[in-house]
Amino acid sequence: MSASLDIDLLRTFHAVARLGQFRAAAEHVHRSPAAVSVHIQRLEAVVGGRLLERDNQSVTLTPLGQRVLGGTAELLRVHDRVLGGIQGTALAGRIKLGLPDEYAAHVIRDILPLFAADWPGVALEVTTAPSLALRDQVGRGRLHLALAAQAMARRPDTDSLALTTPVWVGGVRLPSPLPDPVPLALHAAHCPYREAMTYALDRAGLAWRVVLSSPSSQAVEACVESGLAVSLIDRSRVTNAMRVLDGLPAIAAHEIVLLRATSAQTDPATDLLAQTLRRHFRL
């Protein structure tokens, strides 16, 4: 009998690829880490090669893993759309979604069109704001769903989409050693990176001054690239015009989590949007 791709195995593989850790993927798919390992081994047997390179901290995709990831994303999406049609799911309604500015372009450009194509009866209303403000709006029921950045949580029920290590960056022409006081490009109030920056510098006894304070990640990054200030950003957002700075206080790992209002816990449309975000969100 010819080989076939098992949907459950693919879901587990996509979770590992997206989250970068077996532990986080196991929590995400509600399986044990051992079961996740078995799923990956079974999928590797089907595709005929190694999908992941693993160490004690994280996993990375092999070239074969990259091909399987790209080649099966549409398969999972079509599977869920067909299953929804068979089950008679005709969704209608409105979802209020909140996004931090740093990730808004990716979600709006790459993910929301997929959801809109599958569920045209659901109207989306998107708001951008800092993570802590979005958390407050979800708690008040003003948003149904939101992405937010936060320091790594210890709660096992956290709906984590991705892990990220924030790094200090400056422009490639920024003088070394750094000016005193340290010039900062600060993210908006209620952004966890803003709080992490100022708290870490104060705790280390380093003087600082504000060059820019902006809710726009593009403005913060432009200020860094120009050499006017340093800031804290996701490592994945470091550009060729920036350099990672050593010597500043280390910042703990953060995660991107999915927050959901109590009022939307049983809403099927919100369920499907949450599933779409989990499958396709990338740093």
Side-chain angles (χ1 to χ4, degrees), residues 211-232:
V211 174
L212 172 75
S213 179
S214 174
S216 167
S217 62
Q218 290 184 338
V220 169
E221 291 167 10
C223 190
V224 170
E225 290 177 336
S226 71
L228 293 175
V230 306
S231 193
L232 191 70

Side-chain angles (χ1 to χ4, degrees), residues 26-57:
E27 294 174 0
H28 179 68
V29 298
H30 306 293
R31 297 180 185 274
S32 68
V36 168
S37 293
V38 170
H39 273 203
I40 297 301
Q41 291 168 7
R42 289 177 178 171
L43 185 58
E44 288 177 336
V46 172
V47 301
R50 194 171 184 84
L51 296 171
L52 304 166
E53 298 293 347
R54 317 171 202 188
D55 58 34
N56 292 331
Q57 300 297 324

